[in-house]
Amino acid sequence: MLEALRQSGGHRSAEAVGVRLTDGGASLSRGTVYKVLDDLVSAGIVMLADRGPGTALYEIADVWHHHFVCRTCGVVIDVPCQIGSKPCLEGDLAGADIDEAQVIFRGRCPKCVTDGMASRP
Ligand SMILES: [Zn+2]
Ligand SMILES: [Zn+2]
């Protein structure tokens, strides 16, 4: 499972990881794939890239970072975390034990900005 994620690299949906696994001959139900991915996320080995509504994306958790989601093309780009470890934001919630804060940046990716400028008269 971890190998499948590592080999495909970047941000993958559970479906994509599952397809990759079944390619190798193993047959796994979608539920099993989610279950294993969930366990890996809990163990801190795999990171869940939160991009808001839609498919959750999984990736190998090597360096803690945030994500940028392009409103135009939907591409997900890694954004380095300025602190580098979690939680990098202090949540103002009395009595809570916050251990993680993931930020989603939204806007237009460099490509869409360039395309937008190119199509302007
Ligand atoms: Zn874009
Ligand atoms: Zn990422």
Side-chain angles (χ1 to χ4, degrees):
M1 176 70 78
L2 212 50
E3 267 318 293
L5 197 56
R6 206 182 285 279
Q7 280 165 19
S8 46
H11 310 93
R12 299 291 150 190
S13 67
E15 277 88 55
V17 176
V19 164
R20 188 150 190 117
L21 284 174
T22 41
D23 266 5
S27 157
L28 284 172
S29 74
R30 176 193 279 244
T32 308
V33 173
Y34 275 106
K35 171 86 179 63
V36 175
L37 283 171
D38 264 3
D39 288 349
L40 290 171
V41 170
S42 306
I45 298 164
V46 167
M47 186 171 147
L48 186 61
D50 190 350
R51 62 164 178 185
T55 323
L57 296 175
Y58 298 86
E59 65 182 323
I60 299 290
D62 36 15
V63 181
W64 178 249
H65 59 268
H66 301 291
H67 292 98
F68 169 89
V69 181
C70 177
R71 289 191 196 276
T72 307
C73 68
V75 71
V76 178
I77 302 173
D78 287 345
V79 180
C81 178
Q82 283 164 8
I83 307 294
S85 62
K86 52 185 183 178
C88 49
L89 292 175
E90 286 294 326
D92 193 2
L93 189 59
D97 177 19
I98 295 170
D99 59 26
E100 187 178 303
Q102 192 172 51
V103 178
I104 308 175
F105 297 88
R106 287 184 200 280
R108 286 195 299 160
C109 70
K111 185 180 170 299
C112 289
V113 169
T114 311
D115 287 357
M117 286 192 297
S119 64
R120 216 169 285 158

